[in-house]
């Protein structure tokens, strides 16, 4: 029907009075938090990364690229089966459109596809590579082969969700990885885990998206509205 994949609204309420404060387009919130978590994970797990690669230039992929660029990865390569989409995004960011192989050569690679076909295999892994896997959001979806997942130093946003319907699911079901082999990104951000540390391995971050990330985006939008950074229509109930 030509409609967005994500349709809905996010309603932000005052925690003390329960009054509705802000109504946001859920598609925009999803896109921003998907891109933002990719940037946060890259800075935390691959601080030495200088170049970015993005597989998938749809709405979420485009915002992932924009957030990575805003985080300082100003040199990158994007790819998409729709050449025009890749070229348009590359032109916007001053990056370039290329092949999947060229994207996988970059320091930090984010996969933002529908998850129907794996785009990362075990042969693509190399020391120092960081992968953000953002597209697999339900059972049966995967952007990497089981061997590729099992060959990485693994991180996720939330284990129960990632192991049930994220990039980790296939490897968990195959018995290739266990909970003990996966670190929550939050533990790295709070300093309770060193992240990559000194290990010369490929790091992989599996994000399935959390409600708290939506809340963070909604609060950021509210702050921007309060400071005049954005404009919004007003509805009085």
């Amino acid at each position: 029907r030509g409609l967005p994949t994500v349709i809905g609204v996010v309603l932000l309420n005052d925690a003390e009075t329960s009054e509705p404060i802000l109504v946001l387009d859920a598609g925009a919130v999803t896109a921003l938090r998907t891109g933002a978590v990719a940037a946060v994970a890259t800075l935390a797990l691959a601080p030495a990364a200088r170049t970015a690669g993005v597989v998938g230039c749809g709405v979420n992929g485009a915002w992932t690229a924009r957030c990575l660029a805003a985080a300082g990865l100003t040199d990158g390569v994007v790819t998409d089966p729709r050449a025009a989409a890749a070229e348009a995004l590359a032109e916007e960011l001053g990056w370039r459109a290329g092949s999947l192989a060229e994207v996988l050569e970059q320091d930090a690679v984010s996969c933002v596809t529908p998850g129907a076909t794996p785009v990362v295999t075990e042969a693509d892994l190399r020391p120092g590579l960081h992968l953000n896997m953002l597209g697999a959001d339900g059972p049966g979806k995967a952007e990497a082969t089981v061997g590729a997942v099992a060959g990485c130093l693994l991180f996720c946003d939330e284990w129960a969700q990632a192991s049930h319907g994220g990039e980790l699911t296939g490897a968990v079901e195959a018995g290739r990885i266990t909970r003990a082999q996966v670190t929550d990104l939050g533990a790295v951000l709070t300093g309770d885990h060193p992240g990559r540390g000194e290990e010369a391995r490929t790091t992989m971050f599996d994000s399935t998206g959390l409600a708290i990330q939506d809340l963070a985006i909604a609060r950021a939008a509210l702050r921007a509205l309060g400071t005049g950074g954005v404009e919004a229509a007003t509805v009085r109930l």
Side-chain angles (χ1 to χ4, degrees), residues 107-192:
D107 299 335
V109 177
S110 299
C111 297
V112 202
T113 77
T117 304
V119 294
V120 178
T121 70
E122 195 169 357
D124 297 315
L125 307 185
R126 67 183 193 287
L129 171 65
H130 173 67
L131 296 163
N132 294 308
M133 312 306 288
L134 310 171
D137 57 357
K141 295 184 176 183
E143 297 183 290
T145 62
V146 168
V149 175
C152 294
L153 192 61
L154 298 170
F155 301 83
C156 71
D157 47 14
E158 203 277 326
W159 164 257
Q161 189 165 290
S163 61
H164 171 71
E167 195 60 52
L168 302 181
T169 305
V172 171
E173 292 177 344
R176 298 288 300 275
I177 62 170
T178 64
R179 175 67 180 99
Q181 294 168 273
V182 183
T183 301
D184 291 347
L185 179 63
V188 180
L189 298 177
T190 58
D192 294 326

Side-chain angles (χ1 to χ4, degrees), residues 7-229:
I7 300 177
V9 295
V10 173
L11 180 62
L12 186 67
N13 292 70
D14 186 287
E16 295 184 5
T17 67
S18 296
E19 293 176 288
I21 304 171
L22 207 62
V23 179
L24 303 103
D25 168 43
V29 172
T30 297
L32 279 170
R33 63 116 152 117
T34 299
V37 77
V40 169
T42 299
L43 293 176
L45 301 174
R50 295 293 177 266
T51 61
V54 176
V55 184
C57 299
V59 173
N60 292 338
W63 279 104
T64 296
R66 291 171 186 136
C67 288
L68 289 168
L73 281 77
T74 54
D75 183 14
V77 184
V78 298
T79 192
D80 193 285
R82 304 160 301 157
E87 290 166 2
L89 180 59
E91 181 178 1
E92 174 191 332
L93 297 176
W95 291 7
R96 63 184 178 88
S99 65
L100 175 60
E102 290 174 302
V103 167
L104 291 172
E105 291 173 353
Q106 308 311 304
D107 299 335
V109 177
S110 299
C111 297
V112 202
T113 77
T117 304
V119 294
V120 178
T121 70
E122 195 169 357
D124 297 315
L125 307 185
R126 67 183 193 287
L129 171 65
H130 173 67
L131 296 163
N132 294 308
M133 312 306 288
L134 310 171
D137 57 357
K141 295 184 176 183
E143 297 183 290
T145 62
V146 168
V149 175
C152 294
L153 192 61
L154 298 170
F155 301 83
C156 71
D157 47 14
E158 203 277 326
W159 164 257
Q161 189 165 290
S163 61
H164 171 71
E167 195 60 52
L168 302 181
T169 305
V172 171
E173 292 177 344
R176 298 288 300 275
I177 62 170
T178 64
R179 175 67 180 99
Q181 294 168 273
V182 183
T183 301
D184 291 347
L185 179 63
V188 180
L189 298 177
T190 58
D192 294 326
H193 190 281
R196 183 192 294 271
E198 299 300 321
E199 293 196 53
R201 292 180 59 184
T202 306
T203 48
M204 177 182 287
F205 169 62
D206 177 16
S207 175
T208 49
L210 304 176
I212 195 170
Q213 296 167 348
D214 295 337
L215 176 59
I217 294 295
R219 291 184 66 188
L222 182 63
R223 287 195 298 270
L225 183 63
T227 59

